[in-house]
Amino acid sequence: MNIIFKQLINLGCIACLFFSSSVHAQTVLDGRVSVDFSSNWKFRKEEASTDRIVKQKQREEIVDLPHTWNIADVMDDKPGYYRGATQYHNILYWKTAWQNKRIVLHVGAANQEATVFVNGKQVKAHIGGYTAFNVDITDYLNRRVNGKNTIVIQVTNRFNQDIAPLSGDFTFLGGIYRKVSLLLLDQIHFADPVYGSSGLRVNAKIDSSENATINLDGAIQNASASQQAIVIETTLMDADGVAVKKVQQKENLKPHSQHNFQLNIAEIEQPRLWSPDLPYLYRLITRIYDSNGRQLDHLDNSVGFRWFSFHPEKGFFLNGKPLKLVGASRHQDFKGMGNAVPDTLQIQDLVKLKAMGGNFLRVAHYPQDPAILKACDSLGLLASVEIPLVNEITESSTFAANSFQMQKEMIRQYFNHPSIIIWGYMNEIFLRPHFPKDKERQEKYFKSVVSLAEKLEALTRAEDTTRYTMIANHGNFDLYHRTGLTKVPMLVGWNLYPGWYGGKIADFGKQLEHIHQQLPEKPLLVTEYGADADYRIHSDKPVRFDKSIEYAIRYHQGYLNDILRKAFVAGGVAWNLSDFNSETREESMPHINTKGLLTWDRKAKDSYFLYQAYLKKAPFVKIGGTFGKKWAVRTEPDRALIGSGWLKLPIFSNADSVELLLDGISLGVSKPVDRMILWPVNLSRGLHTVKAQAFHNGKLSSVDEMVMDCEVLPYDLKKDKDWQELRINVGDNREYIDSMENRWFPDQPYERGSWGYLKGEKYRLKNTGRENLGTDVNIRGTGDDPLFQTQLQGLESYRFDLPNGNYEVELFFAELDGPNDKENLLYDLEQREKKQEKKGIDRVFDIRIGGHALAADLNVLREAGAFRGLRRKFQVKVHDDGNLVISFIPKKGEPILNAIRLKKINQSVNP
Ligand code: GCB
């Protein structure tokens, strides 16, 4: 690269040099230059019908890459999202500086089938949405000065039975959602046109006696018409940039050919080792020179020296020392961006995983941005990467061939990352066994799966002898074992959910022992475990499947204890680092799988703090409980303190003991159990400061402080004069924080002197074996689904004993027994076979206060439709000795109520 060019890069002017029509640069470029080609693409969706195409053309938009077309439709109330053909096009003007260059289009990822056309001619078709591809477009370009070239990339994310994934609990968002660049290369350059890698494989090896070597395998393209004598030089530099070793080798290239070479760096003595604690990286620069010493190409790789092994009894070893692998899996999407997420933001995920104390990332269920693996290298996170063969396969030779290509692309594109220790290729592949009604045919299907696994296994081992191979299975051990699938990979991963989809948390340990006993020769990794944790839902009586933050904490405590204590478990990977989009899911937060330790926009939930308390070596204390400052407590009859209430504040710590101070006054000292204390704190209205001081070996080791703005929801509405609003999540025993950060409290039966419902049954899902607290169907037209998803049915009245005065009453309804086309949740195996209610219930009721009708003949199904929120607001004057009785009078079927909000207006008129 010449000096002028370097300076332009420093000034951020690459784009103006190459694309601005006002610049007629004559610069001659040395070696490899990568130019961003991501701005100003014209994008449109293509529909099948001609009329539609015309319409769509009018809706052409200008987009920058990375881009996805599915940001909005995966979150709306309409099931499904656009899975079809689209087109991106852009114009490229030929530059004089490109004379004698090869122009290679590099596409980071396009989901999932892409076809590249240059000036109307098809140049490349690529299959698979999660790996990169390169296209040398030089020969298709109009190479006159300023010559105009049209680049079209057609992309479709349609269902294709020959391309994995066929199904899955994530969304197959379409788009060119990783970077696109133009590589400006010399006629002689490193290249891998078939598998999209850089063309250079760096195999850094080190053994237990710390003898290190680097073997390079490379491919060089000579696109020129002449024979060429070149020199390949590779230089290993330490982290300070000091050259440690330099090796050169001469090669002769035939015209118009690909030349393969090998080059070794031997005897690298006692290199510094790479590990999660100290991820020391060397740098390897490999150059091609012509016979006059002019640099033609160069590649820059990070090198980390480490050795590792898995043992079926003793777990994982890195550099000769045992290391429990603990971390999380990661999906690549982000709130409001789909899968088109800038690198800088993606890398933050790994910074968070590291800050959590994690040392392992399962890149699941597909290869992700190379920036992710680069960050693993430099942050010190070990990693597994896998191709998206999820749930099921198609028994076709094309499906197999596509899978082989994906596996090879993954291995070749990511090979050089020292962080990678495992290649995976199947996830829960027997979750959706085909031919459920024809057992004989099903056995044949199982055999096809095992045979595909064997081929992928052989391919992986042939591609890379230095990593382990892995298949991740779901909890049906016997099926995987009997079909022989457990024999195929070097490592078996298990995705285990007892205590979530079924069973008890305590079954997890038993299941691990069982697997280990039955399969003693295989190293075992817990590749998934997790519980939904909707950050808006809290409970002081958490139960399985309630989606509360508190249940998730218990679940993770139980699992972490077993993973950390059992030596034969090489490690455990939480599902998932963050909440992620899964369009077909409904439940408390429609379209989102909430098993993340972080929210979809990466805010820490309490479970993340729990992991920090378990995994961090440095002293740690954190007060959990909520997002933001707003809190609420409710006064309770047995502690009838007016104007204050009790709250169990979660404190997470790895210290011996913690002291808690409320507004500067000590509440005593307590010891964490399973890295947590639930501290009962009595809070009155207004601002409070809580401070947790952690002590280790008698010394203050860390401190956390939080300001709480507290609201008190009274039990006794008459004695407590200062309340303003009461919000009740009817039919629910969980607390809910709405989109305005207001807290809604669990319901209660009426007691004299307080408030509550008279008669009525909590709504329960029919035909389910699991705990359930309402429907799991998306409530249309609201983001506050949990408020509408629970309900009292057949209630007689809702009653408040309160001071006379004016009030606003808001009632919330949704018909939960309506017709429903929701698909049963795939991962909830207990649910799978059971049918939902299909027919709507016709119910009509009046709402009255005393002699006044607030609403007559209310039919929620007719007014709002099924599973759609309906609100009714009324102003009422209470003068009858402070009793507000809202009666629900059935006309047809049973009356319902989903939530109620009571607000004082013009306080205490007519006391
Ligand atoms: C699994 C799948 C994963 C799901 C997860 C869940 O076993 O491998 O893709 O997202 O369960 O949350 O149900």
Side-chain angles (χ1 to χ4, degrees), residues 138-150:
T138 325
D139 297 338
Y140 299 83
L141 294 173
N142 167 2
R143 280 170 283 174
R144 282 199 311 263
V145 176
N146 281 328
K148 187 177 171 185
N149 294 284
T150 307

Side-chain angles (χ1 to χ4, degrees), residues 169 365 427-428 495 497 501 528 575 580 585 593 595 827:
D169 183 20
H365 292 307
N427 181 73
E428 305 192 350
N495 301 347
Y497 289 89
Y501 289 121
E528 277 182 36
W575 187 260
F580 59 92
R585 272 189 183 256
N593 182 320
K595 295 195 184 67
Y827 294 86

Side-chain angles (χ1 to χ4, degrees), residues 62-77:
I62 310 263
V63 300
D64 287 342
L65 308 178
H67 169 258
T68 174
W69 59 79
N70 290 124
I71 290 180
D73 60 359
V74 296
M75 290 303 289
D76 63 18
D77 282 339

